[in-house]
Amino acid sequence: MIELQGLTKRYGDRTAVDHLTFTVRPGVVTGFLGPNGAGKSTTMRMLLGLDAPTSGDVRIDGKHYAQLSEPLKHIGALLDAKSIHGGRTAYDHLLCIAQSNRIPTRRVGEVLETVGLSAVARKRSKGFSLGMGQRLGIAAALLGDPEILMFDEPVNGLDPEGIHWIRNLMKGLAAQGRTVFVSSHLMSEMALTAEHLIVIGRGRLLADTSMADFIEKNSRSFVRLRSPQPERLRDVLTAAGHTVVSTGDGAFEITGKDAAELGELAAQHQLVLHELSPQRASLEEAFMQLTAESVEYHAHGAVTPGASVPVPAAPAQQGWQHGGPPPTAPPPQQQPPQGGGQQWGSQWRNPGSGKGR
Amino acid sequence: MAAPSAILQSEWTKIRSVRSTIWTLALAFIVTVALGAIICLVFDNTWDSLSPDDQATFDPTNTSFVGMQLGQLALIVFGVLVIASEYSTGMIRTSLAAVPQRGSFYASKVAVAGALALVVGMATSFVVFFLGQALLGSHKAQISDPGVLRAVVGAGLYMTLLVLLCVGAAAMLRSPMLGLGILMPFFFLVSPILSVIPKVKKVAQYFPDQAGQKIMQVVPGSDSNGPYGPWGGIGIMAVWVAVALLGGYLVLRQRDA
């Protein structure tokens, strides 16, 4: 169990984490979601006592991190993959961590086996790929067989097989009754692993909800219709009082209506339909909507209304498995917000105000 | 609170499992011994060409330690890397997550680095002393001569204190580039140069290396009526070390990792 109480971190006049209060419970994977720079890593560092909070409190099983004797037996964390001395072998890296918490040496071999690094145990980790470094970090987190596990962006740099592996690992750990807290900036990734969701933006809590509720509330459902007589279909639908949105490929989208009702309406007017399908917008979209206000690093100016919207390519692919087929035209929500002319998602660079120090 | 012995063991594993440890310490030993031996050999072979004044103030013990001027640079690298590499690699976050009691972490690191430096320092000073004296032929000093054992042990202490000074300074600077960029030129150029400039040397003689090296002199030099003796000198250096280590601790305790 991890409890945050009004946790706040300021760097000068910039507030990285702003009065966060939430609890991470055992037995489920809790996703910690937010755009880059939202304060996820800072929060996790405060949790481990690496950064001191400006105000507020965070406790692990009721204790401050520094009060834990042999903390790795309570909580194991993967921070960024670079928290490793590259000149040390994988085995020695894990050995020195194990020794500091009086974890039996045999655990080193066991976790290397678990993460699939046994073959390179005696290799210096500077030669490791990003994915191997990530696995070594995960091995270190598992070393003390802790009840609480925390992973900061664990899928970064992993190949598809590795991503699949880490998803199953996290689900397995939660199924054993452990607390699993995992951060990501990819909604789609979270949708696949997390049962509970905590969303932050600009350091503030935006949502603390179960994944099912989040999907229910946030994904726009609509019905997609296509007909060889598009003009008549549009007239009929408009006459019946529906708001019709044309997509670029000649189909129409009606939000918030039952597919059966629309099909019957078309039948009454003897219209031929080539498509009548209930759809859900992707979760990625819902997430962007939720965090749109609080995104810190926008791309400026470049996007004009109607232009194609820069959507993070790889994650969107995964998101659609859950949200139905990809929308073929930019949905109305993705028009740039008024006033700012700013658009989320194309500038993924973080100037590093809270990172890498 | 994790057991102190566990943290010490962990720090020992850390220090022995990186190549820089063996390389820097081996280099310090080899350079100090080789250079000391060569200088002693040169003195023995050119003895007759020395002025009577130089012959009168010749200090065979101190002469065998001359190589340390260069050898100490490797010790500086060792001392800096022991702690600064934690920051440059990001390992510090893993280390402090494992041992959140920062005082214990720091004390263990200092103790392990200091103990290793003491062993290597003593080995270096005794080896270079006996080798140097053997090469000095008839001009050699005996270990039983007054002040000689103190100088040889003092040379080992000097090397240990130098390493600890660098550990403390690097803990404050938190970066190998910064640590090496400041300490190497200081001990190799700035301090030796300032210590021979009239007036300025009144201040420079209190620099840690200038004060600490006093303990290696057995025969007082022509200009060495300094304000402190051999033990006073190493004491001054010890104060510098204490201040550096304390500063390093305060920075580690205060700042976010």
Side-chain angles (χ1 to χ4, degrees), chain B residues 1-255:
Chain B
M1 177 77 190
S5 62
I7 308 175
L8 281 171
Q9 194 188 15
S10 161
E11 287 301 326
W12 170 243
T13 300
K14 275 189 199 171
I15 212 164
R16 71 165 175 76
S17 60
V18 290
R19 280 180 180 154
S20 63
T21 303
I22 185 77
W23 279 113
T24 50
L25 293 179
L27 204 61
F29 179 85
I30 292 165
V31 169
T32 306
V33 171
L35 210 58
I38 291 167
I39 303 270
C40 287
L41 206 56
V42 168
F43 266 100
D44 188 43
N45 283 310
T46 58
W47 181 259
D48 295 334
S49 60
L50 292 178
S51 69
D53 206 29
D54 284 346
Q55 288 185 354
T57 57
F58 181 68
D59 187 340
T61 311
N62 199 24
T63 301
S64 58
F65 294 134
V66 167
M68 208 178 281
Q69 285 299 334
L70 207 57
Q72 68 180 359
L73 294 183
L75 289 176
I76 294 169
V77 178
F78 169 71
V80 167
L81 287 186
V82 159
I83 194 135
S85 67
E86 291 253 350
Y87 288 98
S88 62
T89 59
M91 181 70 193
I92 188 74
R93 290 189 286 276
T94 301
S95 296
L96 290 180
V99 185
Q101 299 82 16
R102 295 186 180 190
S104 306
F105 164 74
Y106 184 63
S108 303
K109 210 172 224 357
V110 169
V112 168
L116 196 53
L118 184 67
V119 170
V120 173
M122 287 298 174
T124 306
S125 74
F126 275 92
V127 167
V128 76
F129 171 77
F130 285 113
L131 183 63
Q133 301 317 307
L135 294 169
L136 275 171
S138 57
H139 316 293
K140 69 178 179 186
Q142 298 285 349
I143 191 86
S144 53
D145 291 348
V148 171
L149 183 61
R150 179 257 298 155
V152 177
V153 171
L157 278 181
Y158 169 81
M159 288 190 265
T160 309
L161 288 174
L162 183 72
V163 165
L164 292 177
L165 184 72
C166 294
V167 172
M172 284 190 272
L173 296 167
R174 314 203 325 162
S175 142
M177 299 304 282
L178 217 54
L180 295 176
I182 291 173
L183 293 169
M184 298 265 274
F186 178 81
F187 286 116
F188 191 62
L189 293 172
V190 179
S191 175
I193 289 171
L194 293 185
S195 68
V196 293
I197 298 174
K199 297 260 168 46
V200 179
K201 75 179 177 193
K202 291 265 178 254
V203 177
Q205 64 187 345
Y206 292 102
F207 287 170
D209 56 330
Q210 298 303 325
Q213 284 168 4
K214 180 90 174 179
I215 203 167
M216 297 179 229
Q217 293 178 7
V218 175
V219 181
S222 53
D223 59 341
S224 69
N225 289 316
Y228 51 78
W231 290 109
I234 207 92
I236 291 169
M237 188 181 189
V239 171
W240 280 93
V241 170
V243 170
L245 288 177
L246 182 68
Y249 169 66
L250 292 176
V251 168
L252 180 68
R253 196 188 60 174
Q254 246 11 78
R255 298 216 14 206

Side-chain angles (χ1 to χ4, degrees), chain A residues 191-311:
Chain A
L192 291 170
T193 41
E195 283 178 60
H196 196 86
L197 197 60
I198 286 159
V199 185
I200 65 168
R202 280 204 182 173
R204 275 190 291 273
L205 188 66
L206 298 176
D208 180 357
T209 167
S210 75
M211 181 60 81
D213 279 357
F214 182 83
I215 292 170
E216 186 60 37
K217 265 195 213 126
N218 287 290
S219 58
R220 181 181 67 103
S221 63
F222 59 93
V223 180
R224 199 175 136 87
L225 297 105
R226 190 199 296 270
S227 167
Q229 305 143 279
E231 293 79 13
R232 272 202 64 208
L233 178 62
R234 175 192 284 275
D235 292 345
V236 165
L237 289 169
T238 312
H242 300 307
T243 309
V244 183
V245 178
S246 302
T247 64
D249 60 350
F252 299 120
E253 288 178 7
I254 313 280
T255 304
K257 288 289 183 281
D258 189 26
E261 188 191 325
L262 296 172
E264 280 160 22
L265 184 68
Q268 278 167 24
H269 294 84
Q270 301 194 322
L271 275 162
V272 176
L273 290 182
H274 286 172
E275 182 181 354
L276 173 68
S277 56
Q279 306 269 344
R280 288 217 136 161
S282 79
L283 282 173
E284 207 72 45
E285 250 176 72
F287 169 54
M288 284 193 227
Q289 247 182 296
L290 184 63
T291 57
E293 300 284 295
S294 62
V295 168
E296 182 146 12
Y297 306 107
H298 290 283
H300 287 281
V303 181
T304 51
S308 69
V309 173
V311 172

Side-chain angles (χ1 to χ4, degrees), chain A residues 94 107 111-112 115 117 134-144:
Chain A
L94 295 173
R107 280 292 295 162
V111 294
L112 281 168
V115 302
L117 288 181
Q134 205 76 327
R135 283 169 186 261
L136 183 54
I138 291 164
L142 297 174
L143 207 50

